[in-house]
PDB file of all heavy atoms in Angstrom:
ATOM      1  N   ALA A 973     124.328 150.626 150.699  1.00 97.00           N
ATOM      2  CA  ALA A 973     124.198 149.771 149.578  1.00 97.00           C
ATOM      3  C   ALA A 973     122.844 150.012 148.919  1.00 97.00           C
ATOM      4  O   ALA A 973     121.795 150.285 149.551  1.00 97.00           O
ATOM      5  CB  ALA A 973     124.274 148.330 150.018  1.00 97.00           C
ATOM      6  N   PHE A 974     122.757 150.088 147.583  1.00 97.00           N
ATOM      7  CA  PHE A 974     121.577 150.338 146.874  1.00 97.00           C
ATOM      8  C   PHE A 974     121.399 149.326 145.641  1.00 97.00           C
ATOM      9  O   PHE A 974     122.472 149.024 145.046  1.00 97.00           O
ATOM     10  CB  PHE A 974     121.529 151.801 146.386  1.00 97.00           C
ATOM     11  CG  PHE A 974     120.177 152.306 146.203  1.00 97.00           C
ATOM     12  CD1 PHE A 974     119.466 152.891 147.272  1.00 97.00           C
ATOM     13  CD2 PHE A 974     119.529 152.227 144.965  1.00 97.00           C
ATOM     14  CE1 PHE A 974     118.239 153.372 147.100  1.00 97.00           C
ATOM     15  CE2 PHE A 974     118.275 152.729 144.796  1.00 97.00           C
ATOM     16  CZ  PHE A 974     117.585 153.258 145.879  1.00 97.00           C
ATOM     17  N   ILE A 975     120.210 149.009 145.315  1.00 98.00           N
ATOM     18  CA  ILE A 975     119.993 148.023 144.227  1.00 98.00           C
ATOM     19  C   ILE A 975     118.897 148.754 143.385  1.00 98.00           C
ATOM     20  O   ILE A 975     117.903 149.259 143.760  1.00 98.00           O
ATOM     21  CB  ILE A 975     119.426 146.648 144.734  1.00 98.00           C
ATOM     22  CG1 ILE A 975     120.490 146.029 145.555  1.00 98.00           C
ATOM     23  CG2 ILE A 975     119.080 145.832 143.526  1.00 98.00           C
ATOM     24  CD1 ILE A 975     119.982 144.751 146.222  1.00 98.00           C
ATOM     25  N   VAL A 976     119.217 148.719 142.048  1.00 98.00           N
ATOM     26  CA  VAL A 976     118.296 149.126 140.982  1.00 98.00           C
ATOM     27  C   VAL A 976     118.155 148.030 139.953  1.00 98.00           C
ATOM     28  O   VAL A 976     119.206 147.337 139.720  1.00 98.00           O
ATOM     29  CB  VAL A 976     118.918 150.387 140.297  1.00 98.00           C
ATOM     30  CG1 VAL A 976     118.081 150.858 139.129  1.00 98.00           C
ATOM     31  CG2 VAL A 976     119.130 151.545 141.282  1.00 98.00           C
ATOM     32  N   VAL A 994     125.848 153.674 134.489  1.00 98.00           N
ATOM     33  CA  VAL A 994     125.965 153.526 135.989  1.00 98.00           C
ATOM     34  C   VAL A 994     127.417 153.691 136.383  1.00 98.00           C
ATOM     35  O   VAL A 994     127.591 154.384 137.359  1.00 98.00           O
ATOM     36  CB  VAL A 994     125.371 152.075 136.378  1.00 98.00           C
ATOM     37  CG1 VAL A 994     125.639 151.910 137.863  1.00 98.00           C
ATOM     38  CG2 VAL A 994     123.900 151.959 136.175  1.00 98.00           C
ATOM     39  N   VAL A 998     128.342 156.550 139.279  1.00 97.00           N
ATOM     40  CA  VAL A 998     128.612 156.130 140.700  1.00 97.00           C
ATOM     41  C   VAL A 998     130.125 156.068 140.969  1.00 97.00           C
ATOM     42  O   VAL A 998     130.449 155.822 142.095  1.00 97.00           O
ATOM     43  CB  VAL A 998     127.997 154.780 141.030  1.00 97.00           C
ATOM     44  CG1 VAL A 998     126.491 154.785 140.806  1.00 97.00           C
ATOM     45  CG2 VAL A 998     128.620 153.565 140.296  1.00 97.00           C
ATOM     46  N   ILE A1002     132.360 150.874 142.666  1.00 97.00           N
ATOM     47  CA  ILE A1002     132.448 149.889 141.565  1.00 97.00           C
ATOM     48  C   ILE A1002     131.125 149.056 141.653  1.00 97.00           C
ATOM     49  O   ILE A1002     130.889 148.247 142.588  1.00 97.00           O
ATOM     50  CB  ILE A1002     133.651 148.996 141.777  1.00 97.00           C
ATOM     51  CG1 ILE A1002     134.910 149.804 141.682  1.00 97.00           C
ATOM     52  CG2 ILE A1002     133.620 147.811 140.806  1.00 97.00           C
ATOM     53  CD1 ILE A1002     136.204 149.023 142.001  1.00 97.00           C
ATOM     54  N   PRO A1003     130.252 149.223 140.719  1.00 98.00           N
ATOM     55  CA  PRO A1003     128.929 148.508 140.803  1.00 98.00           C
ATOM     56  C   PRO A1003     129.140 147.135 140.344  1.00 98.00           C
ATOM     57  O   PRO A1003     130.008 146.729 139.632  1.00 98.00           O
ATOM     58  CB  PRO A1003     128.047 149.384 139.766  1.00 98.00           C
ATOM     59  CG  PRO A1003     129.114 149.902 138.791  1.00 98.00           C
ATOM     60  CD  PRO A1003     130.367 150.242 139.558  1.00 98.00           C
ATOM     61  N   VAL A1004     128.139 146.327 140.813  1.00 98.00           N
ATOM     62  CA  VAL A1004     128.100 144.907 140.372  1.00 98.00           C
ATOM     63  C   VAL A1004     126.837 144.688 139.505  1.00 98.00           C
ATOM     64  O   VAL A1004     125.697 145.139 139.936  1.00 98.00           O
ATOM     65  CB  VAL A1004     128.054 143.923 141.636  1.00 98.00           C
ATOM     66  CG1 VAL A1004     127.891 142.542 141.309  1.00 98.00           C
ATOM     67  CG2 VAL A1004     129.275 144.161 142.538  1.00 98.00           C
ATOM     68  N   PHE A1005     126.933 144.042 138.494  1.00 98.00           N
ATOM     69  CA  PHE A1005     125.824 143.785 137.483  1.00 98.00           C
ATOM     70  C   PHE A1005     125.592 142.317 137.381  1.00 98.00           C
ATOM     71  O   PHE A1005     126.473 141.505 137.234  1.00 98.00           O
ATOM     72  CB  PHE A1005     126.187 144.373 136.136  1.00 98.00           C
ATOM     73  CG  PHE A1005     126.458 145.771 136.148  1.00 98.00           C
ATOM     74  CD1 PHE A1005     127.795 146.281 136.243  1.00 98.00           C
ATOM     75  CD2 PHE A1005     125.483 146.798 135.951  1.00 98.00           C
ATOM     76  CE1 PHE A1005     128.071 147.599 136.132  1.00 98.00           C
ATOM     77  CE2 PHE A1005     125.844 148.135 135.976  1.00 98.00           C
ATOM     78  CZ  PHE A1005     127.070 148.527 136.150  1.00 98.00           C
ATOM     79  N   THR A1006     124.353 142.030 137.438  1.00 98.00           N
ATOM     80  CA  THR A1006     123.870 140.564 137.142  1.00 98.00           C
ATOM     81  C   THR A1006     122.767 140.756 136.128  1.00 98.00           C
ATOM     82  O   THR A1006     121.852 141.638 136.269  1.00 98.00           O
ATOM     83  CB  THR A1006     123.487 139.776 138.401  1.00 98.00           C
ATOM     84  OG1 THR A1006     122.474 140.509 139.134  1.00 98.00           O
ATOM     85  CG2 THR A1006     124.655 139.493 139.323  1.00 98.00           C
ATOM     86  N   THR A1019     120.254 143.656 137.247  1.00 98.00           N
ATOM     87  CA  THR A1019     120.272 143.989 138.681  1.00 98.00           C
ATOM     88  C   THR A1019     121.639 144.737 138.861  1.00 98.00           C
ATOM     89  O   THR A1019     122.707 144.288 138.494  1.00 98.00           O
ATOM     90  CB  THR A1019     120.199 142.911 139.598  1.00 98.00           C
ATOM     91  OG1 THR A1019     118.947 142.168 139.377  1.00 98.00           O
ATOM     92  CG2 THR A1019     120.202 143.296 141.100  1.00 98.00           C
ATOM     93  N   ILE A1020     121.559 145.958 139.485  1.00 98.00           N
ATOM     94  CA  ILE A1020     122.707 146.893 139.555  1.00 98.00           C
ATOM     95  C   ILE A1020     122.882 147.042 141.143  1.00 98.00           C
ATOM     96  O   ILE A1020     121.887 147.591 141.800  1.00 98.00           O
ATOM     97  CB  ILE A1020     122.502 148.153 138.964  1.00 98.00           C
ATOM     98  CG1 ILE A1020     122.246 147.980 137.399  1.00 98.00           C
ATOM     99  CG2 ILE A1020     123.779 149.109 139.090  1.00 98.00           C
ATOM    100  CD1 ILE A1020     121.235 148.999 136.825  1.00 98.00           C
ATOM    101  N   GLU A1021     123.988 146.625 141.702  1.00 98.00           N
ATOM    102  CA  GLU A1021     124.220 146.888 143.118  1.00 98.00           C
ATOM    103  C   GLU A1021     125.423 147.853 143.225  1.00 98.00           C
ATOM    104  O   GLU A1021     126.440 147.656 142.606  1.00 98.00           O
ATOM    105  CB  GLU A1021     124.526 145.559 143.755  1.00 98.00           C
ATOM    106  CG  GLU A1021     123.326 144.649 143.759  1.00 98.00           C
ATOM    107  CD  GLU A1021     123.738 143.195 144.344  1.00 98.00           C
ATOM    108  OE1 GLU A1021     123.982 143.267 145.562  1.00 98.00           O
ATOM    109  OE2 GLU A1021     123.745 142.276 143.679  1.00 98.00           O
ATOM    110  N   PHE A1022     125.266 148.935 144.023  1.00 98.00           N
ATOM    111  CA  PHE A1022     126.407 149.859 144.242  1.00 98.00           C
ATOM    112  C   PHE A1022     126.256 150.429 145.552  1.00 98.00           C
ATOM    113  O   PHE A1022     125.209 150.468 146.232  1.00 98.00           O
ATOM    114  CB  PHE A1022     126.348 150.942 143.074  1.00 98.00           C
ATOM    115  CG  PHE A1022     125.216 151.791 143.074  1.00 98.00           C
ATOM    116  CD1 PHE A1022     125.172 153.035 143.635  1.00 98.00           C
ATOM    117  CD2 PHE A1022     124.037 151.327 142.443  1.00 98.00           C
ATOM    118  CE1 PHE A1022     124.044 153.852 143.573  1.00 98.00           C
ATOM    119  CE2 PHE A1022     122.879 152.221 142.378  1.00 98.00           C
ATOM    120  CZ  PHE A1022     122.992 153.372 142.977  1.00 98.00           C
ATOM    121  N   ARG A1023     127.322 151.134 145.967  1.00 97.00           N
ATOM    122  CA  ARG A1023     127.384 151.887 147.195  1.00 97.00           C
ATOM    123  C   ARG A1023     127.039 153.310 146.939  1.00 97.00           C
ATOM    124  O   ARG A1023     127.855 153.987 146.304  1.00 97.00           O
ATOM    125  CB  ARG A1023     128.794 151.790 147.890  1.00 97.00           C
ATOM    126  CG  ARG A1023     128.908 152.433 149.145  1.00 97.00           C
ATOM    127  CD  ARG A1023     128.868 151.336 150.241  1.00 97.00           C
ATOM    128  NE  ARG A1023     128.880 151.999 151.532  1.00 97.00           N
ATOM    129  CZ  ARG A1023     128.156 151.641 152.514  1.00 97.00           C
ATOM    130  NH1 ARG A1023     127.222 150.678 152.389  1.00 97.00           N
ATOM    131  NH2 ARG A1023     128.327 152.220 153.719  1.00 97.00           N
TER     132      ARG A1023
END
Side-chain angles (χ1 to χ4, degrees):
F974 206 86
I975 297 174
V976 175
V994 173
V998 303
I1002 300 170
V1004 175
F1005 302 93
T1006 53
T1019 301
I1020 305 148
E1021 299 177 61
F1022 64 98
R1023 185 97 178 139

